Amino acid sequence: NNSAQFADVLQAISGVDQMLGMLLWGFCLAGALVLALVATFWVRSRLPEIGILLSLGKTKLEVGLQFLLEAVLFGAIGAVLAVILGRLLSNSLGQLVLSKAGNETLAALAPANGIAGNAMSLGLGFLVIIIALGMALFPIMRQTPKTILSKLS
């Protein structure tokens, strides 16, 4: 009897876990698309700068690396804030949920805050930033400085 009841509970938890996983991936995809859109607007707002730098002799690689450095700096600031707020919120919310479970064993557990999980999340975040920036820069970097500057006037 107990094993049959436990199997039903385990199946329900597994279904909720799958649903939350799909929801997480959906939010990640939406966030990546928004980031790509913002990166595109950011790069296009700086077309005059790109055209002038290229016409002064800077290579496309140097201009791209400048954008990459700026994006990584913004990402690093966001990563620091995300880790700090994530740890604070996950500890508080985790303790709240576990204490409301009504079970002493569950209430004694501590929420997991693994460094490996944070590192993987941050690595994927920076990968998304680099891909979004590459997608935003690609159409512009294919053009000559003359073409870029002639489109502005």
Side-chain angles (χ1 to χ4, degrees), residues 17-31 120-121:
D17 185 47
Q18 287 176 344
M19 184 179 71
L20 288 175
M22 290 189 310
L23 191 63
L24 176 67
W25 281 108
F27 280 131
C28 288
L29 179 63
M120 187 177 79
S121 297

Side-chain angles (χ1 to χ4, degrees), residues 111-129:
N113 280 330
I115 293 174
N118 283 343
M120 187 177 79
S121 297
L122 294 176
L124 287 173
F126 279 107
L127 181 65
V128 168
I129 289 171

Side-chain angles (χ1 to χ4, degrees), residues 4 12 30-31 40 52 65 70-71 77 82 91 100 103 110 126 130 136 149-150:
T40 300
I52 291 169
L65 288 176
E70 292 173 15
I77 292 168
N91 282 336
K100 297 288 183 187
N103 187 329
F126 279 107
I130 291 168
L149 291 172
S150 67

Side-chain angles (χ1 to χ4, degrees), residues 25 39-40 44-45 72 81 90 125 131 133 136-137 141:
W25 281 108
T40 300
R44 291 189 186 263
S45 72
V72 167
L81 291 173
S90 68
I131 290 171
L133 183 62
L137 282 173
M141 291 301 184

Side-chain angles (χ1 to χ4, degrees), residues 3 17 21 25 27 34 42 46 50-51 61 63-64 69-70 76 78 82-83 94 99 101 108 126 136 139:
S3 62
D17 185 47
W25 281 108
F27 280 131
V34 168
W42 177 50
R46 295 177 63 185
I50 294 171
L61 178 64
V63 173
L69 176 65
E70 292 173 15
V83 168
S99 68
F126 279 107

